[in-house]
Amino acid sequence: MGPEDVAGAAALLEGVATRTPVDGSRALEEIAGGPVHLKCENLQRSGSFKIRGAYVRMARMSGPERARGVVAASAGNHAQGVALAARMLGMSATVYMPQGAALPKVAATEQYGARVVLGGDTVDDALVRAREHAASTGAEMIHPFDHRDVVAGQGTVVREVLEQVPDVRTILVPVGGGGLAAGAVAALGADHPDVEVVGVQAGGAAAWP
């Protein structure tokens, strides 16, 4: 997939996702020794970039698929994105979340209209239960990263960055499942060979060893 797929996702997200601002950080610029720009997806609807991929994935579902509803697994951000997208598209949503999920994120997911089922200790546990739910009910599984429509939706973040910071040379992307990182590379395609994508993780909570 490439920039054309991300462009298609961007068209679907018109009027849905917020074009979040880019802001500077003097503290980070002092550390980096050069200009640093922050893409403020914390100001996005539902609180993160996850609404982008979830909405694109769900908007492209067929009528019969929509009628069966969706199911997802998440500790918080994807849950809220799926719940909000389902409300906007008039679909039912069930979200499996670990027992230790942050209560504000559980509450927000429910407020968007999704049914939340708590259980298990990890997101992997929640994914198992979500897949079982999909198999038994026919609901469509909305994976947090493993689908090309989700990746294309997440890539719209970097599509906007290219417009907002035309001279960008390095893009740091937080890596969990890899959906945002894959979307970033897709958005760049072969047209921006001078832009490097670097995946980063928190040292104390890395998704991968």
Side-chain angles (χ1 to χ4, degrees):
M1 63 187 305
E4 65 282 356
D5 299 288
V6 178
L12 274 177
L13 290 170
E14 284 288 337
V16 174
T18 300
R19 182 183 173 91
T20 53
V22 169
D23 204 356
S25 170
R26 185 171 61 185
L28 291 178
E29 288 179 352
E30 290 176 355
I31 294 171
V36 174
H37 304 275
L38 303 177
K39 179 64 168 162
C40 301
E41 283 293 290
N42 56 307
L43 302 179
Q44 185 58 258
R45 298 182 71 175
S46 80
S48 81
F49 68 91
K50 294 287 189 174
I51 180 64
R52 296 173 182 264
Y55 186 90
V56 172
R57 167 77 171 92
M58 293 160 66
R60 288 177 171 166
M61 289 168 55
S62 68
E65 288 172 335
R66 292 191 187 195
R68 292 192 294 270
V70 298
V71 61
S74 168
N77 288 341
H78 180 60
Q80 293 172 89
V82 168
L84 176 56
R87 188 179 77 180
M88 297 174 75
L89 293 165
M91 302 161 61
S92 63
T94 299
V95 180
Y96 287 83
M97 304 180 75
Q99 289 283 3
L103 293 180
K105 295 189 176 186
V106 173
T109 302
E110 291 177 328
Q111 288 166 5
Y112 286 133
R115 181 174 75 96
V116 172
V117 182
L118 297 175
D121 297 322
T122 67
V123 174
D124 285 340
D125 294 336
L127 274 168
V128 170
R129 300 185 70 193
R131 289 192 178 103
E132 291 172 347
H133 178 102
S136 64
T137 66
E140 191 74 10
M141 176 72 183
I142 308 301
H143 197 280
F145 54 84
D146 193 14
H147 194 282
R148 64 182 297 114
D149 288 336
V150 173
V151 170
Q154 317 304 35
T156 61
V157 175
V158 169
R159 177 182 168 87
E160 292 175 11
V161 168
L162 292 172
E163 297 170 349
Q164 294 167 310
V165 190
D167 59 347
V168 64
R169 288 297 174 265
T170 304
I171 300 177
L172 303 182
V173 181
V175 176
L180 180 58
V185 173
L188 293 172
D191 298 331
H192 301 275
D194 53 343
V195 180
E196 181 181 20
V197 175
V198 178
V200 297
Q201 301 180 105
W208 303 100

